[in-house]
């Protein structure tokens, strides 16, 4: 995040009022900025260079403000003030216009083809009749510097040159020449230098030396001349002294040369939108023409306004608020994004001004709406995303093992994954070329030359740094090393290791060996050759000859243990004998080593997504449902849809925790895509829609959710009830006796069942009835509700439940006969009492 | 336990003396070293109020070794005097005697002798008086007899200066009967033994009281690293919240997954040599999902998916560069891409693992640290959801001011849509470092004391269990 330092008093003068530090901090927060520091030039200098240097410096209070990295329009006082004033509704965002010169032709910058080899792009513009003061001038210079450091990437992408137009005459030529052929008097120098001389002159310049590398090794350097051969600048290094801007300068020629044309246009727009404020006709910019080597003529600055259309629903949904279209348009307008409701549905037309190059997607507009709304005003909600947590098996094993290794008396160390080549090579008696180490190309110190291939050096260094601790030292670490591996997309992979060391007056091989035995016990590997683990003498230059063994698990080598070679111990600045163990623990994952949990991605895409390269027509309409009746009500009514919406508020699916045919059945019952104010339904609808291709393979529904459009004969209603055989036997060879008993029981059961009267399907429903406000007479409301009478409806108990702000809802239960009373009917009847009832929701629905 | 004989003898002496006895006197009467008596006093004190003993100190003069010699043989000057015959003695002869040098100068100043330097055969010494009184010897003898009180302080100090006498401070106890005085004492047992338990003798025995002020013996144990203890707690919190752990065991990442897939432009300063560790071997990643890579290229260079794009020349060469990952979000990108290659189901992911930055190092910055990251992907997630879940997360941490410790946001559509995630899916994410909360929790100011080989193992040994919410 760039930090912009502004003079507090100037800022307040421009804002037209003063603030306390706290008030201003608050204002910054509201606007999405952060007041980072309150300081002064004096304080800054004394902090960096000591009090003595600061004695003469200014005491003027500076505000250091953190600005989001892509908000180039807030990098100077002018932009900050403009942004804040618009935000506070004290100012309408100015309209920036490009104008032709009052008389004559526009200024011209001709690019020659030689520039292609070094810096091919250029744009230009003119600020006419500008009035500088010292403060404006300082801000003008400072903005160039800020742009250079940020979007211009230290001048490598774009370099800005500003010139007193009255000292030169166009057309201007942007070309590139060998450094020896360039000769001019650079800014603030007294004599002429060739470009070659300049490059060596600026080698010792604390500021300019950072930019030399951009062109240093090029055969030709970029250079801009006027029609008389006067040098304007040698971008991206330095301007000529001749065209220097002073407080008296009236007309400014701005050129930006670049390797990235898009950024050059943004930078030019930024310069002219910020400082055209001080032109005699504020916010107008005189155009300039740029002639490309191919003869094309482009006019700059672009000052392009772009229009986007989006819905207020999009903003409301993404932010999690519920504001009217007009309100949202106002919020956006306060963020300098002039917006209006188009009147077509909830559509908003947003105009993105040239100052807001950061707005490249509707989501950026959404973010600005959220800022203007105030993050602190957004209600915090909990995502209803239901998921089951899983541990990464390797980490789970690591966590469990760590606990028990500490319990075995070893202390956990934590070392860096990066180290020097020496640490994993020479010091261990190995050749670095024989390790499978990955090498870092740009380490700042030897500490970061390679990624470690073994945990041992880290543990030995830990001991060396803790020699004062009482012996013995027993350390372990379980962590990753990195090895080159051609089978991986990046050519390297991690390997999880367990390493332990024992450092004492005696080598203690038996201690380390005992730890291996314990670890194997913990990992349920028995001591046996072949299908268990065993150790076997091995040669290894890290270890004392004859004191090293290789660990085999299920016949495969997983690591080594032994007494370290005295040379190795000495190289780590240690003096006592030491034994060590290091093994790979990934072979112990067993069946948990699932391929599912890996960062490896499929290189071939199997699922064919539709990507919006062409304008896609909306999803094909789903064929009209046979029935819209569901247990949630009639899906062709808003009441029914609302009931389903409420049901889905805390559920992902109609049944259980996975998509099933219950979902698709209910989905089919919905005649058309639900409206977006039913957000839970909408989420579920979209989600289920995405299953349509594979719907036949989804699990069958356990219950019936969609009701036939014509009521079926009641005798059939319960047919399915007893059909579940969850624990059905697979045993087909039933004995005759068993078969006989079974038959008999079935006969008895059928007889018993036939005696029972036909069951009537009933449901118990809990309704939430919400009043209009806290003044609604709830007793009267309840009376109204209970006055609803239908065949097959029985009212039950009720209670009042507070919902907030003094408002209470009536929660009332009832039992209905499914065939006679539908929830939609019931809700319609209740909502008919319009003066009392605002809405009716099904809070619970249970089949009896 | 002190010698029981001495203890009993001491008790008998105390019994007889009405107003008490001095431990030094007891020692001399019993003919034992004073320390033995002191030991007996201490062990009696431990039994309760058998005796009461007040510490007192007394000073007395004692002859030094040299002083004792003088008391026996006379002062050096007297011995010089007596060794000079009437005819005198050659000076060099005198100096050969052990007391010659010191005695000579003292005898000279007492004017007992004189030197004739002109004598033939070298300087020669003669008596000047006929007889002398050796006062030094007399005084020392007096002191030795214990009659030092006859001497004046000045005289004693004179002798002290000559290192013949030293003042000794004796600490002793003035011992009187205690409230439960008895000459017969039972020996106290230190510990309960299996024998006592077997024969029941513990019932009769008295046991020495424990000193509850002392520390216990430290158990012989291993210890977990504090940062890892905090990591365990963070894992726990995520698991409690239903988050699945991502496989982050890949420190080496391509710029493509670390930056490009996240819609970070190729000129972004984070991709500088100054901020990121690049690899020289293996320098490049060689395999990418090509279709996806093309979509990423397009969204960067031309836009699409509702975006204007960055409109620059996207280069595969830049994306291929291998690096040490600068955030675990590289893995999140891989996981989200994988998710998009299946039937979309909502997910909650987390990870806690190492990331690397080629930064300037100081007391709070290392080239590598642990990043904690949480990711939720579902249809229709809102900013309110992000704020709500962050609130829940940080409440579990017991942190009130959580704004300061991490970053959070909603992933851009330019990142998600090219992966193939459905249009309505939003992904919210947040991250923070593991080290900072750990340093706050354990009060560590320098990160090097916590992470890396310079760790203070004593700190590791002493660190308490990690309860984040307390």
């Amino acid at each position: 995040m760039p930090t912009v330092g502004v003079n507090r008093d100037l800022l307040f003068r421009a804002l037209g009022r003063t603030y306390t530090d706290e008030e201003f901090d608050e204002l910054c927060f509201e606007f999405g900025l952060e007041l980072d520091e309150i300081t002064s030039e004096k304080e800054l200098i004394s902090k960096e260079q000591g009090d003595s240097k600061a004695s003469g410096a200014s005491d003027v209070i500076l505000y250091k403000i953190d600005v989001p990295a892509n908000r180039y329009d807030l990098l100077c006082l002018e932009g900050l003030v403009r942004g804040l004033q618009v935000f506070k509704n004290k100012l309408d965002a100015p309209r920036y216009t490009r104008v032709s010169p009052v008389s004559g032709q526009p200024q011209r910058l001709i690019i020659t083809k030689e520039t292609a080899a070094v810096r091919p792009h250029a744009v230009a513009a003119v600020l006419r009749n500008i009035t500088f003061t010292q403060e404006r001038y300082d801000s003008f210079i400072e903005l160039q510097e800020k742009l250079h450091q940020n979007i211009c990437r230290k001048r490598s992408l774009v370099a800005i040159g500003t010139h007193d137009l009255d000292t030169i005459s166009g057309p201007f030529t942007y070309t590139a020449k060998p450094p020896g052929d360039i000769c001019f008097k650079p800014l603030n120098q007294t004599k002429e230098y060739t470009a070659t001389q300049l490059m060596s002159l600026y080698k010792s310049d604390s500021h300019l030396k950072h930019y030399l590398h951009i062109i240093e090794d090029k055969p030709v350097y970029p250079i801009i001349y006027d029609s008389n051969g006067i040098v304007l600048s040698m971008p991206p290094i330095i301007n000529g002294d001749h065209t220097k801007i002073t407080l008296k300068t009236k007309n400014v020629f701005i050129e930006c040369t670049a390797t990235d044309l898009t950024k050059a246009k943004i930078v030019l727009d930024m310069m002219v939108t910020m400082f055209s404020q001080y032109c005699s006709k504020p916010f107008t910019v005189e155009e300039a023409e740029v002639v490309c080597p191919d003869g094309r003529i482009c006019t700059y600055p672009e000052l392009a306004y772009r229009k986007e259309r989006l819905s207020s629903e999009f903003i409301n949904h993404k932010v999690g608020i519920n504001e009217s279209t007009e309100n949202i348009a106002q919020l956006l307008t306060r963020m300098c994004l002039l917006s209006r409701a188009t009147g077509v549905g909830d559509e908003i037309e947003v105009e993105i001004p040239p100052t807001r190059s950061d707005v490249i997607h509707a989501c950026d507009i959404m973010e600005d709406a959220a800022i203007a709304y105030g993050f602190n005003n957004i209600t915090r909600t909990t995502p209803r995303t239901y998921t089951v947590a899983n541990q990464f098996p390797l980490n789970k094993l690591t966590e469990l093992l760590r606990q028990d290794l500490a319990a075995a008396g070893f202390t956990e160390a934590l070392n860096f994954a990066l180290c020097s080549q020496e640490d994993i090579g020479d010091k261990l008696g190995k050749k670095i070329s024989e390790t499978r180490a990955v090498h870092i190309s740009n380490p700042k110190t030897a500490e970061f030359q390679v990624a470690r291939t073994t945990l041992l050096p880290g543990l030995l260094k830990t001991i060396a740094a803790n020699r004062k601790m009482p012996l013995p030292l027993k350390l372990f670490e379980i962590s990753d090393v990195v090895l080159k591996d051609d089978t991986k997309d990046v050519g390297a992979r991690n390997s999880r290791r367990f390493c332990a060391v024992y450092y004492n007056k005696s080598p203690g091989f038996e201690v380390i060996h005992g730890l291996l035995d314990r670890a194997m016990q913990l990992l349920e590997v028995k001591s046996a050759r072949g299908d268990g683990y065993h150790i076997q003498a091995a040669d290894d230059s890290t270890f004392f000859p004859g004191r090293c063994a290789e660990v085999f698990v299920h016949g495969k080598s997983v690591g080594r243990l032994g007494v370290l070679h005295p040379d190795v111990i000495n190289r780590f600045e240690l003096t006592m004998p030491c034994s060590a163990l290091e093994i790979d623990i990934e072979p112990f994952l067993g069946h948990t080593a699932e391929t599912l949990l890996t960062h490896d991605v499929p290189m071939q895409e199997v699922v064919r997504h539709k990507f919006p390269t062409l304008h896609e027509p909306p999803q094909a309409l789903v064929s009209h449902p046979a029935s819209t009746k569901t247990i949630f009500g009639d899906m062709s009514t808003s009441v029914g849809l609302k009931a389903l919406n409420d049901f889905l508020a805390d559920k992902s699916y109609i049944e259980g925790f996975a998509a099933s045919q219950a979902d698709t059945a209910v989905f089919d019952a919905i005649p058309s895509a639900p409206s977006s104010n039913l957000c839970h339904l909408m989420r579920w609808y979209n989600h289920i829609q995405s299953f349509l291709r594979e719907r036949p393979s989804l699990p069958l529904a356990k219950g019936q959710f969609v009701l036939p459009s014509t009521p079926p004969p009641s005798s059939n209603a319960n047919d399915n009830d007893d059909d579940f055989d969850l624990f059905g036997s697979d045993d087909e060879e039933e004995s005759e006796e068993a078969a006989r008993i079974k038959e008999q029981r079935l006969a008895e059961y059928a007889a018993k069942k036939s005696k029972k009267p036909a069951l009537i399907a009933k449901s118990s429903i809990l309704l939430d009835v919400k009043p209009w406000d806290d003044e609604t007479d709830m007793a009267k409301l309840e009376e109204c509700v209970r006055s609803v009478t239908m065949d097959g409806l029985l009212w039950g108990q009720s209670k009042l439940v507070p919902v907030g702000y003094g408002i209470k809802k009536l929660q009332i239960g009832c039992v209905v006969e499914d065939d006679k009373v539908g929830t939609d009917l019931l809700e319609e009847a209740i909502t008919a009492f319009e003066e009392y009832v605002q809405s009716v929701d099904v809070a619970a629905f249970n089949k009896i | 336990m002190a010698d029981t004989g001495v203890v009993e003898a001491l008790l008998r002496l105390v019994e007889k003396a009405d107003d008490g006895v001095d431990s030094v006197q007891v020692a001399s009467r019993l003919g034992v070293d004073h320390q033995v008596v002191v030991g007996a006093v201490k062990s009696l004190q431990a039994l309760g109020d058998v005796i009461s003993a007040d510490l007192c100190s007394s000073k007395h003069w004692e002859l030094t070794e040299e002083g004792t010699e003088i008391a026996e043989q006379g002062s050096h000057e007297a011995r010089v005097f007596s060794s000079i015959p009437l005819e005198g003695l050659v000076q060099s002869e005198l100096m050969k005697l052990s007391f010659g040098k010191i005695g000579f100068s003292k005898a000279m100043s007492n004017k007992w002798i004189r030197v004739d330097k002109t004598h033939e055969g070298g300087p020669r010494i003669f008596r000047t008086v006929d007889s002398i009184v050796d006062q030094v010897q007399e005084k020392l003898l007096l002191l030795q007899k214990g009659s030092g009180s006859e001497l004046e302080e000045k005289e004693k100090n004179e002798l002290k200066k000559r290192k013949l006498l030293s003042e000794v401070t004796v600490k002793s106890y003035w011992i009187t009967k205690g409230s439960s005085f008895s000459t017969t004492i039972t020996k106290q047992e230190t510990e309960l033994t299996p024998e006592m338990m077997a024969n029941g003798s513990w019932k009769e025995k008295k046991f020495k009281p424990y000193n509850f002020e002392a520390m216990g013996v430290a158990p012989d144990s291993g210890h977990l690293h504090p940062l890892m203890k905090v990591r365990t707690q963070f894992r726990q919190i995520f698991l409690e919240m239903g988050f699945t752990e991502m496989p982050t065991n890949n420190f080496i990442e391509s710029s493509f997954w670390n930056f490009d897939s996240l819609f970070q432009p190729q000129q972004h300063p984070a991709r500088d040599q100054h901020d990121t560790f690049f690899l020289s071997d293996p320098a490049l990643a060689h395999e990418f999902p090509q279709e996806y890579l093309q979509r990423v290229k397009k969204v960067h260079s031309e836009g699409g998916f509702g975006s204007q794009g960055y409109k620059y020349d996207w280069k595969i060469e830049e994306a291929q560069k291998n690096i040490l990952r600068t955030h675990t979000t590289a893995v999140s990108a891989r996981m989200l891409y994988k998710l998009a290659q299946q039937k979309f189901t909502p997910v909650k992911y987390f990870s806690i693992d190492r990331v690397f930055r080629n930064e300037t190092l100081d007391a709070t910055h290392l080239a590598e640290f642990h990043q904690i990251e949480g990711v939720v992907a579902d249809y229709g997630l809102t900013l309110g959801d992000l704020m709500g879940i962050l609130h829940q997360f940080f409440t579990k941490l017991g942190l009130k001011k959580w704004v300061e410790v991490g970053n959070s946001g909603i992933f851009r559509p330019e990142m998600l849509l090219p992966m193939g995630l459905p249009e309505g899916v939003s992904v919210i994410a947040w991250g923070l470092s593991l080290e900072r909360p750990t340093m706050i929790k354990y009060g560590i100011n320098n990160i090097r004391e916590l992470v890396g080989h310079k760790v203070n193992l004593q700190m590791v040994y002493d660190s308490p269990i990690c309860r984040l919410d307390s």
Side-chain angles (χ1 to χ4, degrees), chain A residues 365-514:
Chain A
I365 299 172
M366 179 274 290
E367 189 186 0
D368 268 15
I371 291 171
Y373 183 81
F375 281 111
N376 286 344
N377 299 327
I378 301 171
T379 311
R380 290 170 183 170
T381 48
T382 304
R384 295 181 185 276
T385 311
Y386 180 87
T387 50
V388 173
N390 284 305
Q391 302 186 51
F392 178 43
L394 186 56
N395 288 359
K396 184 177 182 177
L397 176 66
T398 302
E399 286 288 292
L400 291 170
L401 214 45
R402 284 173 55 238
Q403 302 283 340
D404 272 319
L405 291 170
F410 279 70
T411 291
E412 187 175 35
L414 178 69
N415 287 295
F416 300 127
L418 305 183
C419 61
S420 66
Q421 294 184 4
E422 201 189 15
D423 285 341
I424 55 166
D426 293 349
K427 279 182 166 180
L428 293 182
K430 306 262 184 190
K431 286 204 177 82
I432 189 75
S433 56
E434 286 162 11
T435 66
R436 288 154 68 197
V438 304
H439 292 256
I440 293 166
S441 65
N442 58 334
K444 282 184 183 149
T445 72
E447 296 272 279
F448 312 119
Q449 289 174 320
V450 289
R452 64 183 170 188
T453 53
T454 155
L455 300 179
L456 184 59
L459 289 184
L460 294 176
K461 288 201 277 186
T462 305
I463 292 176
N466 284 280
R467 275 173 300 203
K468 61 180 193 304
M469 297 297 291
L471 294 175
L473 282 170
K474 300 196 277 186
L475 299 181
F476 81 96
E477 183 170 1
I478 304 184
S479 199
D480 284 352
V481 302
V482 181
L483 303 172
K484 280 202 279 188
D485 182 347
D486 288 339
T487 65
K488 293 287 178 176
D489 56 350
V490 296
R493 66 171 168 91
N494 284 18
S495 166
R496 179 113 352 141
R497 297 284 179 80
F498 157 43
C499 185
V501 292
Y502 177 81
Y503 182 71
N504 201 0
K505 287 172 182 144
S506 64
F509 179 81
E510 69 288 352
V511 178
I512 276 298
H513 190 190

Side-chain angles (χ1 to χ4, degrees), chain B residues 306-336:
Chain B
S307 175
Q308 300 289 307
Y310 292 124
K311 301 197 173 84
Y312 70 99
D313 188 12
W314 188 90
K315 292 192 177 74
I316 175 74
E317 292 76 15
E318 203 56 46
Q320 275 188 297
K321 286 179 181 170
N322 271 338
I323 59 165
L324 280 152
R325 67 169 177 227
T326 62
H327 44 208
T328 48
T329 319
V331 177
S332 309
R334 283 174 178 262
M335 297 307 284
L336 289 171

Side-chain angles (χ1 to χ4, degrees), chain A residues 572-758:
Chain A
F572 284 94
E573 293 159 15
L574 295 174
T575 49
M576 304 270 178
C578 181
S579 52
L581 159 72
E582 180 159 0
I583 58 169
D584 193 346
I585 65 163
E586 283 169 50
F588 302 98
L589 277 173
H591 68 278
T592 61
E594 296 160 42
T595 46
L596 274 176
L597 271 177
T598 160
H599 47 263
D600 291 335
V601 298
M603 291 300 156
Q604 292 297 321
E605 291 185 359
V606 194
V607 177
R608 289 286 134 196
H609 296 289
K610 289 178 184 166
F611 291 100
T613 42
L614 300 165
H615 187 69
E616 299 266 350
Q619 287 268 354
L621 281 175
V622 182
S623 62
H624 256 279
S627 164
T628 58
K629 297 256 192 312
T630 69
I631 63 160
F632 306 101
D634 190 335
M635 289 297 122
S636 61
T637 66
S638 62
V639 180
L641 290 172
K642 182 138 195 340
L644 180 56
N645 182 63
D646 292 344
F647 174 81
L648 288 168
D650 55 356
K651 293 177 189 68
S652 295
Y653 301 103
I654 301 291
E655 255 188 2
F657 304 123
S660 68
Q661 304 220 4
D663 292 289
T664 54
V666 177
F667 180 89
D668 289 345
I670 301 173
S672 60
S675 84
S676 55
N677 57 350
L678 303 171
C679 58
H680 305 300
L681 177 58
M682 183 78 166
R683 162 181 56 76
W684 170 86
Y685 187 88
N686 286 335
H687 182 44
I688 301 307
Q689 190 166 43
S690 66
F691 281 99
L692 290 182
R693 216 173 329 136
E694 62 258 53
R695 58 185 299 170
S697 58
L698 290 174
L700 294 176
K702 292 197 179 72
Q704 190 187 8
F705 297 91
V706 178
L707 309 168
S709 46
T710 49
S714 62
S715 60
N716 290 349
N718 269 348
D719 265 9
N720 288 344
D721 278 5
D722 300 312
D723 277 0
F724 292 112
D725 185 11
L726 287 173
F727 304 100
S729 165
D730 291 335
D731 191 3
E732 289 172 23
E733 292 174 42
E734 289 178 334
S735 68
E736 273 182 36
E737 175 65 10
R740 195 188 57 77
I741 292 171
K742 195 175 166 187
E743 235 164 74
Q744 188 189 333
R745 286 195 184 148
L746 279 173
E748 282 168 10
Y749 178 71
K752 202 167 146 194
K753 201 179 168 188
S754 64
K755 281 176 209 153
K756 264 203 288 184

